Amino acid sequence: MPLNKAPIQAKPINDKTGYTNTVWVKWYASIVRLLARIRNNGTIEPVTLTDAQAENNSIYYSSDQAKLVYKDSGGTVNGLY
């Protein structure tokens, strides 16, 4: 089922918090990007990053090493296969 585009509002969502439609659109877009990584059969597609771009404590496909890796809390990149 395709997701609908983010709704655009003419005024802030909540006048007390000051959240504007820009914040809502960015939040919605991040959810859409996350869901795009989860396939219909339950598998995931890891993001491709260089080792320098990746944050610590993350799993990603390394374009530097051409394989799935884990970058630990100390910044060491460890191949997973």
Side-chain angles (χ1 to χ4, degrees):
M1 177 164 106
L3 294 171
N4 296 330
K5 291 184 178 181
I8 303 297
Q9 295 179 336
K11 63 179 187 175
I13 293 170
N14 183 328
D15 292 339
K16 292 180 183 176
T17 63
Y19 288 124
T20 64
N21 60 335
T22 303
V23 172
W24 168 247
V25 170
K26 286 181 181 179
W27 176 83
Y28 187 87
S30 68
I31 298 300
V32 169
R33 282 192 308 274
L34 174 64
L35 292 177
R37 297 288 179 187
I38 302 172
R39 298 180 178 141
N40 289 336
N41 64 3
T43 60
I44 60 167
E45 179 185 352
V47 66
T48 300
L49 298 170
T50 65
D51 293 337
Q53 290 175 314
E55 294 184 34
N56 291 351
N57 291 321
S58 60
I59 295 173
Y60 60 97
Y61 183 84
S62 170
S63 59
D64 296 330
Q65 300 184 35
K67 60 183 173 181
L68 191 64
V69 297
Y70 170 70
K71 188 172 186 180
D72 64 25
S73 60
T76 301
V77 178
N78 303 286
L80 294 179
Y81 66 90

